[in-house]
Amino acid sequence: MLKLIEGGGASQDRRSGERRLEFGDRWPYEPSPEAIDRAGLRDRWDAFIDGRFVPPAEGGYAADLCPATAEPFAAVAESTAADVDSAVAAARRAFEGAWGRLAPLERGKHLFRLARAVQERARELAVLETLDSGKPIQASRDFDLPLVASHLFHHAGWADKLEWAFHGRTPRPLGVAAQVMPWNFPLLMAAWKIAPALACGNTVVLKPAETTPLSALRLAEIASEVGFPPGVVNVVPGGPSVGAALVTHRGVDQVAFTGSTEVGKVIRRAVAGSGKRLLLELGGPSAHLVFADAPLDQAVEGVIAGAFFHQGQVCCAGARLLVEESVHDVFVAKLRDRMETLRVGDPLDKNTDLGPVGSAAQLARVRELVASAEAEGAARYSVARELPARGWYVAPTLFTGVALAHRIAREEIFGPVLAVLTFRTDTEAVRKANATSSGLAAGVWTSHPGRLLELARGLEAGVVWANSYHRFDPTSPFGGCKESGLGREGGRQGLAAYVRLEEDA
Amino acid sequence: MTERPREDGPPRRSEPEAARVGIRKTWKLFVGGAFVRGESGRYRPLGGGETCPLASRKDLRDAVRAAAEASARWSRTSALLRGQILYRLAEVLEARRAELSAQLAAGGAPAPPRELDLAIDRVVSFAGWADKLSLLASTVNPVAGPYLSVSQPEPIGVVGLVAPGRPALLGLVGTLCPLIAAGNVAVVVAGEPDPRTALAFAECVATSDVPPGVVQVLTGDRAELVPVLARHLGVRGLDVWDASEADARELEQLAADGMKRVAFRSWAVSAFEDARRASSPAMLERFVETKTLWHPLGA
Amino acid sequence: MSAADAAGAAARGLLPPLGASPPVERVAAEERAAALGRRSLKRAAKVAGLRLAVRCMDLTTLEGADTPARVAALCRKAIAPGGAASDVPSVAAVCVYPSLVGAARRALAGSAVRVASVAAGFPSGLTPLATRVDEARRAVDAGADEIDMVIDRGAFLAGEQERVGDEIELVKEACGAARLKVILETGELGTFSNVRRASDVALHAGADFLKTSTGKIQPAATPGVSLVLLEAIRDFYFRTGRRVGMKPAGGIRTARQALHHLVLVKETLGDAWLDPELYRLGASTLLDDVLLQLEKERTGAYGSLEYLPAD
């Protein structure tokens, strides 16, 4: 008779040389590149100010490189303080003029139109985003663009309902919002910033990341095409000096930034005492906890997504895996099997899971951190895969034997590198997860509801994903505690960063 | 010149013709539920021969440590119980009206009984808020997918409160109570014009049911203490009242390193007296953090 | 102990290899399975996938009106799906009721196409155990190479998992050299965690294939549920060294669905399972759509059913 013995479970899983899965070429997928003919590409991109593309007042043009080839594919205006001046002035005119005079519902209707227009142009925007950022087209197409459209759509509906959102306090727009974007989700972050800012009645000057300016410029152009008054959405491409000129500009009332904690601090110091409202979405290595009672196969997917989605270049990447010691070996074995199926290559190929990292500088930094982990004694496992000869590629990598003191456990990696640590008890898990100055997100995999809720309470993070990871929605507030930022984006809570309430006076 | 004893308060100084020598109170800092002398031995004269300690950087460090130790438990104390503990504080204040009134008068308050009324009522109001903020500020987010997504406010932990100078008691309870009602713990730097009322209030806290460490009260030199508070990485929030523009800029810059939550406010006395404004949920929302939890639906 | 010995021991119940089955988070499993459905298969990859789908197909007819002549026609199509002149490969097996095993055996004589038969009280699996065992034995005696049995879901849901395992063992014994496909009827198991548990019971009881569904109950072979079976097979392989086959069945009607299932197995179990010895697609109408798609890839023009062999 068959004996069903409880206990052991997946930990009995044994692997050896003769028990291996082969993910080879028995049935290869052909290259399946997305066509780039309708990506809305142009050779030269100017700043978008007051409803039109405007050549830089003083600066020249810089080459925009494609991460997949490391070659230039467009020239982008290098804005200067003079362009920032005209953009802020245009935004101010719009705020005090056409946009400010609009009835709230009319404002909302503009945003609804924009949401629709983005849906209509989703394919071309996805291709543009992939070319510029190196993000795999499957992510641009299935993740970024749907979220861009839904953020615009959700916030469009807020425009005429704001007075109900603040418990009897009357919200007023702030004025001109200065918004500085990261390079990992160029268009999505632009939508996260623009949508609530406009819904709340503000106007916007946006500075895209230096390496990924195109989609935001195109978004501003689309807004103009669908009838936004001039000056409501302005985009000034350029480097850090443009960002600095923008956030410190006297005509700016709100500063929103998504990016590194380091730059977030610089911005905070720069705008201190100016009275500008500040919204910061910063980073920090988020912890991903896997318990022995977890749905392990789904936890593998969650951890893979957490660590490798967009090559790990995500502010809330689950780059620190904390796995319960009793399932460490089997879980790592499963992770390694799963890593073997990750397809690294041309981001335009629809079957590519991991593209290149965003820049040569980023590649250097990831390599340096990987070297530091090896030097500090962690055991490295990288997928043995031939990487494309051109472009800034990193093989998906996992480190075991990582200690909390190691740099890869403390610093934000922003590359496809996962650090694996272990814990024995729930208390230890929470302690290790919280042992960082950041607190953006955390993942927890367990099948015990009480444990989950207790952990969720103890984890110092703005977002806790239970038995899931990387979930985003315009109705759900996102943002970090501790050094991971100030404020929230999305949901009712996210509106607060864009309004002045009576008690602020 | 000698002060005359007042009907509603303890004598400030013994009368030369009286046979008995009065007992003069030694004011101390309130840290971790205990009254302690200042570490540096420095003090400030308060008039009437009394002094209050000038807290040092180390006193502040100890206060933050005491607060941090109390934080985990206080944040997990049920909201109902936090409300009851605050209500108990109101009871204690009511019972010690005479003394508080005398301290307020000595500190220069124009209408001590009225300020006391408002202050005690403010404590009662925030006692009621403790279990209601989450009801207002939490959301179930209708996300587009098979997930439950819920967001709720959580206390951030240790908050430095640089209390308003005036009104001494109403300003203090009106800014401290929302912090602790929301589940935070506080290190208070008392307003400089009347530190004695703040310490008398601390004695009320000590004899109420507020657990040790939830409230610390330091007196001292604001200019010396507040920058230390702003830079302290164990302090998660900084609620600064009546800062000059220059000070606010400096403190905001100092607070960047731990990405501290900071508020700078300056209210007229009349604003504190306006109950609708001064006991609004906005007072509690300043130092809470939204946490969002996602869980899939289905089996 | 060698892998083969371990597998044998497991099948005989000598090992206690079945620990607590891991729970399954349904939403996450379905999302992973859906993501694999977005693989882009073009040109040669599509043709190779479609031909693999044909080679792995259990061409099935399970209608009350089935006759020897109807089965014979189906067998001709199984041997040469695209017609005699076509290079489309034969399917893996023809699957029929036990009464038609003889007819199928005769019609397939000389070909490599196997005869599979649903037996053991199909589709309810609720006839007396002795009857079910006897039916399986008779089907094998009549020439079936493979037996598809359905487990007693009621017993499973009532907590009698050992009984379910014992019954599988008995039917397996009756099959002799014939291979046993164990149908879990996942649509009746309620939760994905139950599906995983039932998979583990069947694997440890000696199943040669796990099969999702009878085709009589919806939902049937959804991508999510198929993924759960594949993961159970993978873990069992690592535990025992034994490669068990997989057969999604029920509701797979389009070439696109078939390719989705093949992607699931390719990226979960790897190359070894991309073979009719370890992978089957149970289907009755799928073949026509696959043939249409193959024609489209060959000629570049969209086809129509009228131009296909009518069986």
Side-chain angles (χ1 to χ4, degrees), chain C residues 158-181:
Chain C
E160 298 178 75
Q161 297 173 14
E162 298 198 9
R163 193 178 115 203
V164 173
D166 291 346
E167 292 184 0
I168 294 169
E169 286 187 5
L170 287 172
V171 176
K172 169 75 180 164
E173 211 175 292
C175 285
R179 298 209 291 168
L180 178 63
K181 304 185 193 120

Side-chain angles (χ1 to χ4, degrees), chain A residues 83-217:
Chain A
D83 304 302
V84 170
D85 278 343
S86 15
V88 172
R92 176 65 55 190
R93 282 195 300 278
F95 178 69
E96 284 165 3
W99 189 248
R101 281 197 301 271
L102 277 181
L105 181 62
E106 301 304 305
R107 217 162 64 214
K109 282 157 66 180
H110 276 294
L111 275 168
F112 278 124
R113 271 194 194 176
L114 182 58
R116 279 289 193 249
V118 164
Q119 283 176 319
E120 223 169 73
R121 294 158 177 79
R123 188 173 163 280
E124 68 161 85
L125 284 166
V127 174
L128 189 64
E129 191 78 328
T130 288
L131 282 169
D132 204 12
S133 71
K135 178 194 297 289
I137 188 73
Q138 55 169 256
S140 308
R141 182 193 64 194
D142 299 336
F143 178 85
D144 295 57
L145 261 300
L147 272 176
V148 168
S150 67
H151 264 266
L152 292 166
F153 193 91
H154 173 76
H155 285 94
W158 268 123
D160 62 334
K161 299 164 193 71
L162 297 170
E163 61 189 291
W164 311 111
F166 296 98
H167 313 316
R169 286 166 284 159
T170 307
R172 310 265 179 233
L174 295 166
V176 176
Q179 313 194 308
V180 179
M181 297 299 110
W183 46 263
N184 55 351
F185 295 92
L187 186 61
L188 181 58
M189 290 303 110
W192 278 29
K193 302 277 184 292
I194 289 175
L198 299 189
C200 292
N202 307 284
T203 55
V204 164
V205 180
L206 184 140
K207 195 208 74 88
E210 191 170 13
T211 54
T212 56
L214 304 192
S215 54
L217 285 164

Side-chain angles (χ1 to χ4, degrees), chain A residues 268 454 456 459 464 483 485, chain B residues 76 252 257 261 290-292:
Chain A
R268 186 165 178 194
E454 178 64 22
L459 288 167
V464 176
E483 292 204 6
Chain B
R76 291 186 175 217
E252 170 75 15
D257 248 336
R261 278 64 180 137
T290 298
K291 180 180 278 179
T292 299

Side-chain angles (χ1 to χ4, degrees), chain A residues 89-437:
Chain A
R92 176 65 55 190
R93 282 195 300 278
F95 178 69
E96 284 165 3
W99 189 248
R101 281 197 301 271
L102 277 181
L105 181 62
E106 301 304 305
R107 217 162 64 214
K109 282 157 66 180
H110 276 294
L111 275 168
F112 278 124
R113 271 194 194 176
L114 182 58
R116 279 289 193 249
V118 164
Q119 283 176 319
E120 223 169 73
R121 294 158 177 79
R123 188 173 163 280
E124 68 161 85
L125 284 166
V127 174
L128 189 64
E129 191 78 328
T130 288
L131 282 169
D132 204 12
S133 71
K135 178 194 297 289
I137 188 73
Q138 55 169 256
S140 308
R141 182 193 64 194
D142 299 336
F143 178 85
D144 295 57
L145 261 300
L147 272 176
V148 168
S150 67
H151 264 266
L152 292 166
F153 193 91
H154 173 76
H155 285 94
W158 268 123
D160 62 334
K161 299 164 193 71
L162 297 170
E163 61 189 291
W164 311 111
F166 296 98
H167 313 316
R169 286 166 284 159
T170 307
R172 310 265 179 233
L174 295 166
V176 176
Q179 313 194 308
V180 179
M181 297 299 110
W183 46 263
N184 55 351
F185 295 92
L187 186 61
L188 181 58
M189 290 303 110
W192 278 29
K193 302 277 184 292
I194 289 175
L198 299 189
C200 292
N202 307 284
T203 55
V204 164
V205 180
L206 184 140
K207 195 208 74 88
E210 191 170 13
T211 54
T212 56
L214 304 192
S215 54
L217 285 164
R218 179 76 182 110
L219 182 67
E221 187 187 19
I222 292 171
S224 187
E225 284 167 10
V226 300
F228 272 67
V232 175
V233 179
N234 307 278
V235 179
V236 283
S241 63
V242 184
L246 178 58
V247 300
T248 55
H249 197 286
R250 296 173 64 84
V252 158
D253 304 287
Q254 195 256 15
V255 172
F257 169 73
T258 293
S260 73
T261 302
E262 189 190 342
V263 175
K265 289 177 182 177
V266 171
I267 289 178
R268 186 165 178 194
R269 290 191 194 101
V271 306
S274 66
K276 291 169 189 166
R277 184 70 67 79
L278 197 55
L279 171 68
L280 299 174
E281 294 291 0
L282 311 176
S286 293
H288 211 147
L289 279 58
V290 175
F291 288 82
D293 71 346
L296 285 186
D297 288 316
Q298 289 73 52
V300 166
E301 293 307 322
V303 170
I304 292 283
F308 301 130
F309 177 59
H310 193 23
Q311 296 77 255
Q313 304 170 118
V314 185
C315 53
C316 48
R320 279 194 306 147
L321 171 63
L322 289 159
V323 56
E324 190 167 345
E325 204 172 300
S326 61
V327 290
H328 172 272
D329 292 355
V330 65
F331 194 74
V332 168
K334 280 173 180 281
L335 276 177
R336 289 169 55 149
D337 278 340
R338 179 66 176 84
M339 284 167 68
E340 289 297 326
T341 68
L342 289 170
R343 305 175 68 86
V344 186
D346 178 5
L348 277 170
D349 191 311
K350 291 175 226 167
N351 291 324
T352 291
D353 299 315
L354 269 74
V357 296
S359 64
Q362 194 55 30
L363 179 66
R365 173 170 164 74
V366 174
R367 284 181 174 162
E368 194 266 325
L369 265 171
V370 165
S372 85
E374 287 187 298
E376 287 177 309
R380 172 179 173 174
Y381 172 75
S382 288
V383 174
R385 188 77 38 82
E386 205 169 309
L387 299 175
R390 293 188 310 166
W392 303 309
Y393 287 91
V394 182
T397 296
L398 171 153
F399 280 100
T400 51
V402 177
L404 272 182
H406 289 171
R407 281 181 60 204
I408 44 164
R410 305 188 71 82
E411 295 181 26
E412 187 161 36
I413 303 165
F414 244 60
V417 181
L418 175 64
V420 184
L421 299 87
T422 60
F423 65 85
R424 295 158 299 170
T425 64
D426 296 27
T427 314
E428 186 182 358
V430 170
R431 184 176 56 76
K432 285 185 166 173
N434 289 345
T436 162
S437 58

Side-chain angles (χ1 to χ4, degrees), chain C residues 9-85:
Chain C
R12 291 192 304 276
L14 296 177
L15 272 184
L18 179 58
S21 296
V24 179
E25 187 62 66
R26 179 187 193 122
V27 169
E30 286 181 331
E31 278 172 1
R32 166 67 177 152
L36 287 173
R38 293 192 286 271
R39 288 295 188 212
S40 174
L41 300 164
K42 302 289 181 211
R43 300 173 296 275
K46 184 173 181 184
V47 171
L50 292 173
R51 291 174 66 92
L52 180 61
V54 173
R55 287 172 51 224
C56 290
M57 200 173 295
D58 278 6
L59 193 58
T60 303
T61 184
L62 295 173
E63 290 167 22
D66 285 346
T67 61
R70 151 91 181 134
V71 166
L74 196 69
C75 290
R76 282 193 294 278
K77 187 166 175 177
I79 294 165

Side-chain angles (χ1 to χ4, degrees), chain A residues 167 169 265 268-269 272 452 454 456-457 459 461-462 464 466 473 476-477 480 482-483 485 488 492-493, chain B residues 76 136 139 141 144 149 151 236 249 252-253 257 260-262 277 282 285 289-296:
Chain A
H167 313 316
R169 286 166 284 159
K265 289 177 182 177
R268 186 165 178 194
R269 290 191 194 101
L452 162 68
E454 178 64 22
R457 195 155 73 149
L459 288 167
V464 176
D473 192 275
S476 186
K482 300 206 282 189
E483 292 204 6
R488 293 292 179 272
R492 195 185 69 196
Q493 294 87 337
Chain B
R76 291 186 175 217
L136 284 193
T139 51
N141 314 309
S149 169
S151 300
R236 295 277 173 82
R249 182 183 310 119
E252 170 75 15
Q253 284 172 338
D257 248 336
K260 232 174 232 81
R261 278 64 180 137
V262 174
R277 175 176 183 183
E285 279 175 339
E289 195 85 49
T290 298
K291 180 180 278 179
T292 299
L293 174 67
W294 290 68
H295 196 288

